[in-house]
Amino acid sequence: MAAIVQDQAATFTIPGPRPIPGLGRTGNLLQFARDPIGILSNLFRTYGSIAALVEGGKTRIISPYPDCPGSVFVYGAELNRKVITDSESYQKSALGGVNSSMTRRQEVMWNWGTGLFNVNGDTHRQHRRLLMPAFHKKQIEAYRDDMVAITQQVLDGWETGQQRDIQSEMTYLSLYIAGKTLFGEDILHSKSSVGLTLQQMVKGLLQPSLILFSYDLPGLPYRRLLDISERGDREIREVIAAKRAHGNDDSDVLSMLLNAQDEDGTTLTDDEVIGHAGIIFMAGHETSANALTWTLLLLSQHAEIAAALQDELSSVLNGAAPTVEQLASLPLLERVVKESMRVLPPVPLNHRIIAEPTELGGYLLPAHSEVFVSIYHTHHDPELYPQPDKFDPDRWLTINPSPFEYSPFSAGPRMCIGAPFAMMEIKLVLAMLLQRYRLEFIPGTRLDRRARITMAPRQGLPMKVFAQDRQFNRGVGGLRGNVSEMVEWPE
């Protein structure tokens, strides 16, 4: 048996399509970069719940390992459970020795986007303990007033009758909230900030060309991304220096990271603080923005649900912003958000790297293979969710899925540390916005998905702004593009 395992460990045997004629494996990578959700739907229909991007492997999507044997995709509760809970075999991106061949510019860029993703084992557990006070329940609730004030300022700038790109509006609203709560910055009234620089980094990271053209050459997106990363590194070090100069007694997340100390006296280095702050910012604000965008789209197309939610908000809040305590008295709002993140998860894929030859789904994966768990396809598994493509918040009255069946924020030891923060932000913004405005979808608008680290409408979400007049049947239907294939939309 040992000889068989050793032989298997040297090969990549996961089933998958052949390289595209004329383009080879590069063609498969291009197809994946253009539409990961569509490609994975085809792979799972053809090969089942575990499939390779290309037969025989030899592909690398976001792994930092040049010798990555191949890219594997899985979905379903059991495979999700194994990948998420076995943190020793299925590790995050940066394993030992990854940075040995990196330039200093690459190390700066990598540090920004890793944080808790950059450490494994005991180090990960220790760093998570150091970060936990910044996301304690009482600390999160303390951010409520800033969230409300910023949301009010943004909504005050809207006018009825306008057409607005709701995706952009939600992105910048969540950016302002993240800037204030994470760095203590007032981005609304600042021409330059770490938050704005990080937003540029997010846009750079979402470029599909990075998968194929990661070269530090003039004119390429990768060069621009490295430049932005270096600027962000300088800016955050200036913020850290300023906080230390005046005593660093602020209540924002960055200040708490600088003050964090473990029982044995361990503190975070500046590089570690920057890495953690970067990933919390980029993952948190982008996830919240996309969750808000998809939820507003879904409500615009489901008149009865929108009406029932408006009744709940009016009866409990009477036009006011909810207090932390009142959020618990809005059960339909909770169900709407949970169902929205099930049917259109803001983060559609979860990425891991194999640390050692490991069995998964009946196959032995070679070390350094990269594994993507499809949260989207798990959430649309008919064995877990009857009528999985239907937007039905009331299904949550009778179901209680495990963390491996429903995982918009991942699960297990690497569950998103900012999940409670994001849920409070999403519900606060929705409660305030929906009481004040009705957003009307423009029939005939084409919506295609853009799925990279996160999932959002590729070209934004244009909608018309009206005072809340309860005309929920207006603008229903007429949705075009591949988003129309993801949900059972009303005619």
Side-chain angles (χ1 to χ4, degrees):
M1 178 61 70
I4 294 175
V5 170
Q6 189 174 27
D7 180 64
Q8 286 179 323
T11 60
F12 186 92
T13 60
I14 313 300
R18 294 181 178 180
I20 294 176
L23 295 175
R25 286 171 168 77
T26 300
N28 300 78
L29 283 167
L30 285 170
Q31 284 187 340
F32 177 82
R34 184 177 182 278
D35 183 18
I37 298 298
I39 290 300
L40 294 191
S41 294
N42 291 332
L43 287 178
F44 293 142
R45 275 195 298 267
T46 304
Y47 303 101
S49 59
I50 181 167
L53 181 62
V54 186
E55 181 183 48
K58 300 179 183 178
T59 56
R60 177 166 63 112
I61 297 175
I62 61 174
S63 169
Y65 280 99
D67 66 345
C68 173
S71 310
V72 182
F73 302 93
V74 303
Y75 82 96
E78 182 54 31
L79 294 175
N80 191 16
R81 181 198 63 78
K82 182 160 187 179
V83 171
I84 286 177
T85 58
D86 186 356
S87 58
E88 298 304 317
S89 299
Y90 302 89
Q91 299 190 343
K92 272 296 186 180
S93 294
L95 309 181
V98 168
N99 290 333
S100 60
S101 62
M102 286 183 174
T103 67
R104 173 58 187 164
R105 278 161 58 80
Q106 289 173 318
E107 288 178 1
V108 169
M109 187 269 290
W110 189 256
N111 187 45
W112 265 116
T114 52
L116 279 176
F117 291 174
N118 192 33
V119 289
N120 296 287
D122 291 340
T123 304
H124 174 264
R125 287 185 281 274
Q126 182 183 54
H127 281 212
R128 194 173 177 94
R129 285 198 305 271
L130 288 167
L131 267 63
M132 282 305 296
F135 294 95
H136 187 275
K137 182 175 182 292
K138 288 186 177 180
Q139 183 61 33
I140 290 173
E141 291 175 354
Y143 299 137
R144 179 265 179 193
D145 291 350
D146 283 334
M147 291 180 180
V148 168
I150 292 169
T151 302
Q152 189 68 50
Q153 284 182 279
V154 170
L155 295 181
D156 284 346
W158 292 11
E159 295 181 9
T160 58
Q162 288 181 328
Q163 177 176 308
R164 286 186 171 268
D165 178 0
I166 297 304
Q167 182 195 356
S168 292
E169 295 291 337
M170 294 302 101
T171 297
Y172 284 103
L173 172 55
S174 66
L175 171 66
Y176 302 149
I177 290 173
K180 180 64 173 177
T181 57
L182 182 59
F183 300 120
E185 292 189 325
D186 184 0
I187 298 177
L188 280 168
H189 301 99
S190 175
K191 293 183 179 180
S192 62
S193 72
V194 176
L196 293 173
T197 299
L198 282 179
Q199 174 62 16
Q200 294 177 1
M201 272 196 70
V202 171
K203 291 180 179 179
L205 286 167
L206 296 177
Q207 294 292 321
S209 57
L210 287 180
I211 294 177
L212 297 174
F213 304 111
S214 297
Y215 304 110
D216 187 5
L217 297 173
L220 291 183
Y222 190 63
R223 163 67 65 87
R224 292 192 292 271
L225 181 59
L226 292 175
D227 290 343
I228 294 169
S229 301
E230 288 190 317
R231 184 170 78 243
D233 187 79
R234 290 193 301 271
E235 290 175 351
I236 190 62
R237 291 183 191 278
E238 291 172 0
V239 173
I240 289 173
K243 286 183 176 296
R244 285 177 172 149
H246 72 69
N248 189 35
D249 57 354
D250 298 327
S251 60
D252 55 82
V253 173
L254 181 62
S255 296
M256 298 193 71
L257 296 185
L258 291 171
N259 291 327
Q261 182 170 308
D262 209 354
E263 296 176 353
D264 62 0
T266 299
T267 59
L268 297 169
T269 68
D270 284 0
D271 280 348
E272 289 168 344
V273 168
I274 291 171
H276 291 313
I279 196 61
I280 290 168
F281 176 91
M282 288 189 278
H285 112 80
E286 187 78 7
T287 299
S288 297
N290 292 343
L292 285 163
T293 299
W294 290 125
T295 303
L296 291 168
L297 171 64
L298 288 161
L299 288 171
S300 77
Q301 298 300 294
H302 293 83
E304 292 185 4
I305 297 171
L309 179 56
Q310 188 62 39
D311 290 341
E312 177 180 88
L313 296 173
S314 299
S315 64
V316 175
L317 304 177
N318 195 29
T323 63
V324 172
E325 294 73 21
Q326 285 174 321
L327 287 176
S329 301
L330 299 169
L332 180 54
L333 177 62
E334 171 88 8
R335 298 198 303 273
V336 163
V337 174
K338 289 172 73 173
E339 180 69 350
S340 170
M341 290 196 292
R342 183 195 68 81
V343 74
L344 292 171
V347 180
L349 300 171
N350 208 336
H351 179 255
R352 294 289 190 274
I353 291 180
I354 303 298
E356 56 190 8
T358 303
E359 187 276 331
L360 182 65
Y363 298 92
L364 191 68
L365 302 183
H368 296 182
S369 300
E370 59 181 351
V371 178
F372 294 83
V373 176
S374 178
I375 296 171
Y376 172 83
H377 290 91
T378 301
H379 284 187
H380 285 255
D381 186 345
E383 294 185 5
L384 301 177
Y385 301 99
Q387 295 182 281
D389 298 341
K390 182 179 181 181
F391 176 63
D392 179 15
D394 282 351
R395 76 170 73 236
W396 292 90
L397 294 170
T398 58
I399 66 171
N400 184 27
S402 75
F404 311 111
E405 296 167 335
Y406 178 74
S407 53
F409 296 104
S410 190
R414 288 187 180 272
M415 181 177 177
C416 175
I417 197 171
F421 177 100
M423 284 296 290
M424 185 175 78
E425 175 187 354
I426 292 164
K427 290 191 286 187
L428 281 172
V429 172
L430 287 173
M432 295 177 67
L433 189 159
L434 294 172
Q435 289 186 95
R436 185 166 178 178
Y437 296 116
R438 177 179 62 82
L439 301 180
E440 186 174 306
F441 181 73
I442 302 169
T445 299
R446 182 179 182 89
L447 293 182
D448 290 310
R449 57 189 172 248
R450 184 266 296 149
R452 300 285 182 269
I453 301 169
T454 59
M455 184 172 71
R458 184 182 296 274
Q459 300 296 332
L461 175 60
M463 301 181 84
K464 290 183 179 178
V465 178
F466 294 92
Q468 184 48 264
D469 54 10
R470 299 186 63 91
Q471 300 298 309
F472 299 114
N473 285 309
R474 295 183 56 178
V476 175
L479 192 153
R480 301 167 54 244
N482 60 25
V483 172
S484 66
E485 305 164 1
M486 304 174 77
V487 182
E488 291 182 9
W489 303 99
E491 296 294 333

